[in-house]
Each structure stands twice: as C-alpha cells, then as structure tokens.
Amino acid sequence: MSTKGDGTRAVRAGLPEPQQYEPTLPGPVFAAHYHLSGEPTGPYTYGRDANPTWTHLERAIGELEAPDEDVETTVFASGMAAISAVLLSQARSGDAVVLPDDGYQALPLLRAQLEAYGVEVRTAPTGKDAQLAVLEGAKLLWLETPSNPGLDVCDVRRLVEAAHAGGTLVAVDNTLATPLGQRPLELGADFSVASDTKGMTGHGDILLGHVTCRDPELAAGVRRWRKVVGAIPGPMEAWLAHRSLATLELRNERQCANALALAEALAKHPAVSGLRYPGLPTDPSYANAVRQMRRFGSVVSFVLADRETAERFLSALRLAEDATSFGGVRSTAERRGRWGGDAVPEGFIRFSVGAEDAADLVADVEQALAAAIGEN
C-alpha cells in the first residue's frame, strides 16, 4: 500500500521527472500536429489523439484513483462526455444496461439515445441496492453513489460481486465523492468516472471529465470512443485542472468538515425536513457510506416547506450563490426542482458547501432560514 498521504499525492500527482531549468509542471501544449517524419510510432502525432498536457493530467488522476496500481485514465471535454464514452463504447444493439432512476439529470437523455440504438435500458433506485433486482443478463451496470441530488449510497462491493458473477461490467460515477472520498476501482468496479468540473478542479471555471480503468482493453475502447467523437479537452483546461489538483486534499478536507457542520445544524432546525448527508450518523445511507467512503463529500440536501419558502431562503443567503453545479470552494445552493427531471419536492435544496469558515457559513444559513419562514 502507498505510504504517502492524500495531501502529498495530490500536490505531486502526475509531475514529470525534474529537468534542470524546466518548470515543475510544464505549461500547456497547444498543438494540432507535431513534427512527424517516417512511420508514426511516437506518442504524439495529431492533436485529437494525444497531447502531452493531457498525459500529465491523466497520470495525476490515475495516481489519485488507484495509488498502488497501474491504471489508465482518459480525460474528456466534460463529465457527460466521459459518461457517454463508457456507455456508448460498451453497449451494442440487443444489450441491456442498468441505470439509476435517481441519478444525474442528463442520464435520461443518454437513456433515450441508448434506446434509439437498440439497447435495453433498465432502471432502479440507488438506495437499498435496488438495481440488483434488474441486473440479470445486463452488459453494464451504472452506479452513481452518492446519487445526485438525493445523496443515496449503494453498497458498491455487493453490487460488483453480483454483477461480475453474471458477466456484467460495472461503472461508478464518483463525481460527488472524488477519489479522496471513494475509490471505485478498489471496490471492484471496472470504470471509475467523474465530472471533474465539480470537486476535482473545485473553482467552477473548467468543464472536464475522466474515465479510469484497470483493464487496458476497456481503457482502449474508451480512448477510441474519444477519438471517434472528438470529445477532447482543451490543453489550457487540462493544464488548469492539473494545477487545481494540488489543492484537492486541502479543499476536500475543509469542505467535507463544513458539510458535516452544516448538516448537524440543519438537523436541529424545525423548518428543515428530508435532510440528507452520508456522513451524518442519522442518515439512512450512513452504514453503507462508512464501509466504503473515506470522506463524505461537500453536498447537503434538504427540503423546505414549499417553493416560495425555498426561494426566500436562497434570496436571503449572503455566503452562498444561487447557482447550479457543486464542489466549488465558494458555496452554492439551488432549488433543484427549477430544472425539472429530478423527482424532488418543490422546496428541495441542494447545497454545495464551500471552503468558507464553518461558523460563518452556518450562521448565514440560519439567518436565511429565519428570513424564509418569517422569524424576526
């Protein structure tokens, strides 16, 4: 096992060997083509296939996903590009895939595309490992744990064991946890997938995604899909992402601690119902979470009385922006029902906890709740 701590690995992940008078992290390489005489046997031939800046980032993410294993990571232009690459590179007409019915909002769009290609799509909730009931004969099982936005957690090891016994591949969307909170490959999954737009890069200024595989053949299929559809990240985005990984452990530690402090405060408030945070001992997912997660993420969800109360709450916040997405250093919150597509009450709030001082953040939320329910 690796003897390096999370902070050390995050700071140093993917860095090349030191070269005299060269920067520690080489700058982004902007190149559509490379000098290429004779046969194309080198690593870099054309900008859609490979890029040195991607290579450094892919190695860095691989070191975080599986510190003690040889794995292959492929980076993409967005999280949805990464998700699509796994599902569409593996499923063929006549295959069946299993998706969560409470997962990321764009999954239904992908479901419709799979069905248009002749793939059978089965769905079941994340909670209580309900996907087991529709697993038989499937080509691929897609897990999202914790789920977004409901924050249910399934038992990855249990589902992987059942899936592999029937010849089914398993992919885990690990966006909410990040590799510092959960390592799907160590839990037996075949693919670890994430939108790095969120907690991995953490500043709300980059769209990026990745897929990490242990099996070189599976990784080759994912990489081939990226080449075919051209879902490649820009070199600048990849370089910024690698730079941002250096603070991942610092950000993650602070945000997870803040999220727990906020959840504990919300649990005592009479205007709050349906509170979910996997790290809260009273949460329905806590037992699963403590078995497979090392940190519990930066997102807290809860329900206020109705749409109007939720809107007043959001308007009264001073330290959290009313914005979508999550995982950033600045807290954000939104009434998730405004988008449609999620089976949540009108007063459902998804709160992405940032790196502010916990006492300040809790105080701001408490004053916003007071304003929302008309307390003086």
Side-chain angles (χ1 to χ4, degrees), residues 18-232:
Q19 298 290 330
Q20 188 78 341
Y21 310 121
E22 293 293 326
T24 303
L25 177 62
V29 174
F30 300 99
H33 59 265
Y34 303 83
H35 290 295
L36 187 64
S37 58
E39 296 301 316
T41 57
Y44 305 111
T45 58
Y46 186 65
R48 191 180 67 251
D49 299 337
N51 176 290
T53 309
W54 303 349
T55 299
H56 292 312
L57 176 60
E58 288 171 343
R59 288 174 180 166
I61 293 174
E63 289 174 24
L64 297 175
E65 287 275 11
D68 304 299
E69 296 186 67
D70 289 328
V71 295
E72 294 189 34
T73 295
T74 304
V75 291
F76 289 86
S78 69
M80 276 307 296
I83 292 169
S84 299
V86 173
L87 286 161
L88 295 174
S89 70
Q90 299 302 314
R92 303 287 184 270
S93 179
D95 288 341
V97 300
V98 177
L99 303 180
D101 64 12
D102 55 348
Y104 179 53
Q105 186 191 42
L107 276 182
L109 301 176
L110 191 49
R111 173 181 181 169
Q113 191 63 61
L114 287 164
E115 290 174 336
Y117 289 156
V119 176
E120 177 191 355
V121 180
R122 309 170 190 162
T123 63
T126 298
K128 300 180 180 178
D129 300 338
Q131 288 169 285
L132 285 171
V134 294
L135 185 58
E136 186 175 356
K139 175 68 179 293
L140 177 71
L141 168 64
W142 187 271
L143 305 178
E144 185 178 301
T145 180
S147 61
N148 173 28
L151 302 183
D152 270 324
V153 175
C154 60
D155 186 335
V156 175
R157 289 187 183 91
R158 181 188 182 198
L159 285 154
V160 165
E161 182 178 353
H164 285 175
T168 301
L169 296 169
V170 181
V172 177
D173 185 331
N174 199 42
T175 302
L176 271 157
T178 82
L180 297 194
Q182 181 172 261
R183 294 182 187 143
L185 299 184
E186 290 184 1
L187 299 173
D190 300 289
F191 304 90
S192 180
V193 189
S195 169
D196 301 319
T197 308
K198 314 298 194 301
M200 283 285 276
T201 56
H203 293 81
D205 54 7
I206 304 169
L207 266 70
L208 203 77
H210 81 267
V211 179
T212 302
C213 305
R214 184 183 292 108
D215 185 326
E217 186 175 344
L218 294 177
V222 169
R223 197 170 291 263
R224 187 182 308 114
W225 182 263
R226 182 182 68 179
K227 178 177 180 177
V228 168
V229 300
I232 59 173

